[in-house]
Each structure stands twice: as C-alpha cells, then as structure tokens.
Amino acid sequence: MSSLLILKTRICLKYISPLFNPSTAGFTPLNNVISKLSVSSRLLCTKGGSRHAGNNRKEDRQREFNIRERLPFPKSVFASGTAKRTAEYQKKRAEEEPDFPRKNKRVKPPDHPLTASEWKSLKLTTPNPDRFDVRMMSSMLADGTDINVAKSLLAYVAMDTGTLSYELLLRYLTLCVGSGHHSEVFDMYDIMRSRFRTLDTGASSLFIKGFSRTERWKEALTILENIKRAITPSPRNYGDTIAGAVLHGDGDTAWALYAELMEKGLIPNQETWQALFQCGLSHQGHEDGLQSILLHMRDNQIYPEETLAKDIKAWFESLPEQKWIGSWSTVDPRGVCRSCQAELESIQLSREEYAQLKDRVMGDVIQGRDVFNKTTPELLEVVSELERQGLVILVLGRKHMQRPSRSWDRHDMSLVQQKAHCFFTDNISEDDPFLLYATLHSGNHCNFVSRDLMRDHKACLPDGATRRLFFKWQRGHQLVLSSYTPGKRVRFQRILSYDTIVQTHGGSWHIPYDENGAERCTYEVPQKWLCLTKAK
C-alpha cells in the first residue's frame, strides 16, 4: 500500500478536530484515539518551516514510482474491466517468458466410434491404463465428443468388465444432459434407479436439469422433492425446475418454486430471473413479483447480465397501457443519464448510513483484527499536487519515514512536513486502520488517497449490507493515482458523483448491467445502463 493521506474538500482544519488542534498546529489529547485503535504507539505531528526551502535539490536525482506512465484507460479504478485491462497492459510490457513444453497427460478421445478390439488396443497403448474408461469419458466431456463415441466406450467396458461403474455412468449422464440427448437421459434414469439404491445429489441434479427441458418436466419436481428429504436443494436445482415450468407454460408453479427458494434464503442465479421475466412476457399478473426481483438486485448490489437486461427491457415494453420506453445508455460524470437526462442517486451516504458504517468499521476492522500493510516511501509529488489544489492534507506514516534511507531522502520528508500535517506511528503499528478511522471520524466530506483497494478490510465487516455501505463510501471518497510522470503534474482518477445501483423514481428505472463478455472484478461496477421511462 502506498503512503497514506487524508485530505479535505474544504479548507478548514476544524473537520479533523478529533485528531488535530487547528489553533496551535499541535495535538489535542489523543487518549481517545489511542484507546479506540487499541495501539500503544505514540503519534508525532509536524508541520512548519519555510515552504521555499530546499530549492537547491539535485536536478539529476531520479525518483522511482510505481506508476510511471499514463495508462490508456483513464477511467475509475472501480470501473468494470479496469482490472482486466490493467493486467493485459502489464503483461504486454513484461518480458516474454520462455515457453516450456508441458506434458499433456489427458487422453485424447477418438473422433468416431470404436469397436471393442479397437478400444482395447487404445487402452494398451496408453501410458497409464488405470481408470482408462473414466479418464476417457472425462476427456469426452471436455471436448464435447459425439454421443455415439461415448456409447461405444460403454459397450466396450461392459463387455470387458461385465459392469459399468457409478462414476463412469455419471460422466456419461453429464455428457447426455449437456448435449441435449433427452432419450438417453431417460434411459440412464431407468438404468441408474434400477441398479443403485440411491442417487447422489450430483446425479439427481443432472436428472432435474435433463427432465425439465422435456415433456416429462414434472418428474423433475418429484426428484426435487426427493432431494429435500436429505438436504436443501441448490439454487441451480430450483432454477432448473422453474425454467421447466416456464418453458411449459406453468407460471404459477414457477413462481411458487421461486417463493420457496427465497424463503430458504438461497441466492437465485441470473438464468432463473431470466426465465421469470420471459414468463412475464406471456403471462400477465406477476408485475409485483418481477419488480421485487429488481429491488432485490438493488438491495444486494447485483447487476444483471446483458441477456437478462434485454428480457427486462422487453418485459417493461410489453406491459399493456403503461407505455414504457427502454434504451441503452451511459451516465455522464455529473450523474445524469444521457438518455432521459434524469439525475441518478448520489454516491454519498445518508447521515444514518454514515453513522452505521463508522461504528461497524471501528468495531470490526480496527478493534477486531490486526492488518499490516507495507508503506512505500514516495509521496512528495502527490502531496505537492494536493497542496496546489488548495486542500488541507493529513499524512499518516511510520517513524522510519523520518530517517534517510536508500529510497527515502530526508530533504524530501522535510518538504512533505512543510506542505502537510503529518502523524508518524510506531513502525510496528497498523497505519491503514488508522487511515479509515481518521477519514470516517473527520466527516462525510473527507476523502483519502491510497492505491490499496481495502478488500481485506471490507472482508472484516460482519454482513453483506455493511460491506455494500463500505464499498459505496469507498467509491465516493477514495482518490487513486491515474498517472505520474516525473516533472509533470500528478493526476487522479475522478470520483464519480452517482451510485451504481438499480434505482427507480416512480416513472423511471435505471439498471446498470454487465455487457456480454465483460469481465468485472468484485470491486468494480458496470459502465452501461438500461434506462426505462414511462411515456407521459
């Protein structure tokens, strides 16, 4: 993690009064701070001296900094796809590593059915003939081999050993279900039920998926009931049966299963929601249920995939006498939808949300866990840029920063102390929990500078709702370096003013969605929106 800074968007030191006395540029009693942080380190605060000192520094001295050049994607670090683009960019700049041949131990399946003698010959030429049949069937699964090739393998194994193992049959069943061979699924159901007293959840799940796509879809409901006798079915089990009910025009059964899924506290998958919105296109009367899905996405910060977003759009536009108009949109930096010109919700937390988050961070991040992160020495240019912006700056660091080293110049540290208020903790203390404490207790207008995305600290929080509050606060208050070139100005990624979350205001809905093929990390948010407005 880089050295830590807290900065104010208002030039007024009274906002950091819990830590600093603005009238004397010294300390207020820090017993309260120290006791809450549960650390025994002493804190030193320095600021002063001439701001013009040190103009005679060596011109040829070059500083190292982790971000040397402007990346070709100046979006927020929280924008969807940023992590992927960064990794690709760094990979291109890295030296090519030599390719070493790897041993391919996977047996390659044939491209046509074999006779028993041909299978036997192939098995004998395999370096490791143990479990040949299972490994071969697994390779067929990976390659999507023709079903007739798999059948010829079963025939050979049955002739050679006189039996077919459960493991081999399960892999063959997976191949049948995945490739949509329904009659073979029915045959496997009869065979496995007659040969084995019970079926494991893997086989039962496959039969649910296979039967739900056919005219025998109601048998999937029976299998689901059998699973319930032993364990709680998975969201996928419910999703497959819901899809089967929708496919065969039984909307009431689909919604009853969905209600049961939600009552059990399971998390639906997107295919389940997609099936229900498709059901809404042909069966009216479930408007409240479908809108509750959107509100569930909002409350849990879930983003629909593009295929689901298209079905949501189609459903709204199909509602009789309501005249919804859907369009694909983006949001400008002011937080205004470029399609309907509506202003989206602010990224700033309400007074109640802010108080809740502050208490939880104190209890679960600062007091509840020791997290140690390294601090790198560079930050003079960053401090200088923030000073040029007229901001009051608080730098948090460790005492070792006051001593010169191979990478840390005493003169640079002196300039930092002239430009900013500095707190130096003991070298063994945790500075980023202190950063969170100082930022949150300074007020909702306080921002912080760090390249650490705080994922470890967010994980310390006790529940999903609090973690979502933390992520919302973080996106609205964290400044991240966008580019740095020695001798030029430091640039920061912009902080968005709006929240990226499903939102509605009576006559409109705005739904952020993931584009097809987009890879988004958990700390990133989509950039594309579905705008739905009701015609007046």
Side-chain angles (χ1 to χ4, degrees):
M1 188 179 83
S2 67
S3 296
L4 305 175
L5 300 95
I6 297 177
L7 59 103
K8 294 289 148 197
T9 55
R10 296 288 184 271
I11 308 175
C12 184
L13 287 178
K14 69 180 181 180
Y15 294 122
I16 55 173
S17 59
L19 300 177
F20 188 80
N21 187 331
S23 61
T24 61
F27 282 103
T28 56
L30 290 176
N31 294 335
N32 187 37
V33 175
I34 295 173
S35 63
K36 289 185 177 179
L37 287 173
S38 299
V39 296
S40 58
S41 59
R42 291 181 296 113
L43 306 176
L44 305 177
C45 177
T46 62
K47 182 181 180 182
S50 171
R51 299 205 173 196
H52 302 287
N55 291 331
N56 60 343
R57 67 179 185 177
K58 296 180 180 179
E59 296 293 335
D60 59 348
R61 188 175 187 277
Q62 298 294 322
R63 290 177 178 79
E64 296 296 328
F65 200 80
N66 289 341
I67 301 178
R68 280 289 187 186
E69 302 177 14
R70 182 178 301 180
L71 299 180
F73 36 87
K75 291 184 178 180
S76 165
V77 70
F78 300 111
S80 176
T82 300
K84 179 184 177 183
R85 289 190 296 269
T86 302
E88 291 174 347
Y89 177 81
Q90 293 173 345
K91 183 178 180 180
K92 289 179 182 178
R93 293 183 56 85
E95 293 183 358
E96 291 290 334
E97 296 183 1
D99 293 328
F100 297 99
R102 296 180 179 180
K103 268 191 174 182
N104 186 5
K105 297 183 179 180
R106 186 168 70 87
V107 290
K108 184 70 176 175
D111 58 2
H112 62 278
L114 302 184
T115 64
S117 59
E118 288 173 329
W119 277 116
K120 185 174 183 178
S121 299
L122 181 59
K123 178 179 180 180
L124 292 175
T125 59
T126 302
N128 182 14
D130 293 338
R131 291 170 52 83
F132 169 80
D133 54 346
V134 173
R135 291 189 294 111
M136 178 58 73
M137 193 65 76
S138 297
S139 295
M140 292 183 185
L141 272 173
D143 291 0
T145 303
D146 182 79
I147 193 71
N148 292 312
V149 180
K151 287 181 179 179
S152 71
L153 174 62
L154 292 182
Y156 158 68
V157 175
M159 182 181 299
D160 186 51
T161 65
T163 186
L164 296 173
S165 69
Y166 188 95
E167 188 176 7
L168 179 62
L169 290 175
L170 190 62
R171 282 166 170 73
Y172 175 71
L173 173 62
T174 306
L175 181 63
C176 295
V177 172
S179 53
H181 291 281
H182 303 315
S183 61
E184 283 77 6
V185 172
F186 299 153
D187 291 341
M188 286 302 299
Y189 186 62
D190 295 335
I191 292 170
M192 295 185 75
R193 285 188 64 194
S194 63
R195 285 198 54 195
F196 306 103
R197 293 183 60 184
T198 59
L199 300 178
D200 70 349
T201 55
S204 297
S205 296
L206 285 168
F207 284 124
I208 287 176
K209 188 177 186 69
F211 275 78
S212 65
R213 301 171 177 176
T214 72
E215 70 279 359
R216 294 173 60 179
W217 69 275
K218 288 190 176 181
E219 293 183 51
L221 301 177
T222 303
I223 302 173
L224 183 69
E225 290 299 320
N226 292 334
I227 293 179
K228 291 180 192 176
R229 295 170 184 167
I231 61 171
T232 300
S234 70
R236 178 64 63 185
N237 295 150
Y238 276 104
D240 288 334
T241 51
I242 289 170
V246 170
L247 180 63
H248 295 88
D250 193 341
D252 292 339
T253 296
W255 278 102
L257 289 167
Y258 182 73
E260 186 177 307
L261 179 154
M262 298 301 290
E263 288 172 3
K264 292 182 181 295
L266 301 176
I267 301 174
N269 55 58
Q270 300 232 350
E271 290 82 0
T272 300
W273 287 327
Q274 190 171 356
L276 291 172
F277 273 99
Q278 290 172 351
C279 179
L281 286 170
S282 55
H283 297 81
Q284 301 297 326
H286 296 287
E287 287 82 0
D288 291 342
L290 291 171
Q291 291 197 13
S292 73
I293 292 176
L294 298 178
L295 295 176
H296 176 83
M297 292 181 183
R298 171 186 170 85
D299 294 340
N300 294 277
Q301 200 172 340
I302 297 173
Y303 306 112
E305 297 169 0
E306 186 172 345
T307 52
L308 173 55
K310 289 179 178 178
D311 285 326
I312 294 172
K313 178 176 181 290
W315 175 73
F316 269 95
E317 293 176 335
S318 73
L319 292 175
E321 301 178 0
Q322 293 196 31
K323 298 181 181 178
W324 286 91
I325 300 173
S327 58
W328 308 108
S329 183
T330 56
V331 180
D332 71 19
R334 300 170 301 159
V336 174
C337 173
R338 289 191 168 97
S339 178
C340 70
Q341 304 305 310
E343 185 175 349
L344 300 187
E345 294 179 23
S346 171
I347 192 69
Q348 299 301 319
L349 272 61
S350 67
R351 185 187 302 271
E352 294 76 15
E353 290 174 330
Y354 191 81
Q356 176 187 344
L357 178 64
K358 185 170 67 172
D359 291 343
R360 289 270 51 85
V361 169
M362 176 58 65
D364 295 287
V365 176
I366 297 175
Q367 295 176 343
R369 181 178 176 184
D370 283 337
V371 179
F372 181 85
N373 290 298
K374 295 186 297 183
T375 301
T376 55
E378 299 84 2
L379 62 94
L380 176 58
E381 279 80 3
V382 176
V383 171
S384 299
E385 172 60 27
L386 297 174
E387 184 195 34
R388 277 194 291 268
Q389 296 180 21
L391 303 173
V392 174
I393 309 160
L394 172 63
V395 177
L396 303 179
R398 297 189 179 95
K399 290 180 181 178
H400 70 78
M401 296 167 62
Q402 296 178 293
R403 298 192 299 269
S405 65
R406 287 181 299 175
S407 57
W408 189 257
D409 185 83
R410 183 191 295 273
H411 178 68
D412 287 349
M413 191 66 248
S414 176
L415 291 177
V416 169
Q417 291 173 305
Q418 294 168 23
K419 297 172 182 289
H421 304 282
C422 299
F423 281 111
F424 298 106
T425 69
D426 287 339
N427 294 333
I428 61 172
S429 65
E430 303 86 356
D431 52 5
D432 43 340
F434 197 163
L435 165 71
L436 294 176
Y437 171 82
T439 309
L440 285 166
H441 278 263
S442 295
N444 204 6
H445 54 276
C446 181
N447 297 334
F448 68 97
V449 179
S450 175
R451 282 174 291 157
D452 191 313
L453 295 177
M454 304 291 176
R455 283 169 286 185
D456 290 340
H457 304 304
K458 185 170 70 172
C460 294
L461 296 170
D463 55 79
T466 307
R467 287 191 289 272
R468 289 188 291 274
L469 273 184
F470 181 90
F471 185 45
K472 179 179 179 179
W473 170 80
Q474 180 187 11
R475 285 180 287 129
H477 294 81
Q478 182 170 2
L479 287 171
V480 179
L481 290 175
S482 173
S483 66
Y484 169 71
T485 304
K488 295 186 179 180
R489 293 191 59 177
V490 175
R491 296 181 182 274
F492 296 97
Q493 295 178 0
R494 69 177 184 265
I495 292 180
L496 297 179
S497 61
Y498 58 90
D499 194 7
T500 305
I501 194 171
V502 174
Q503 46 196 269
T504 181
H505 299 284
S508 70
W509 283 85
H510 287 88
I511 303 171
Y513 67 93
D514 285 324
E515 297 178 89
N516 289 337
E519 295 183 19
R520 178 176 55 81
C521 293
T522 55
Y523 60 84
E524 297 175 338
V525 294
Q527 302 300 294
K528 296 298 180 68
W529 292 73
L530 169 59
C531 169
L532 294 157
T533 56
K534 189 182 294 186
K536 296 180 180 179

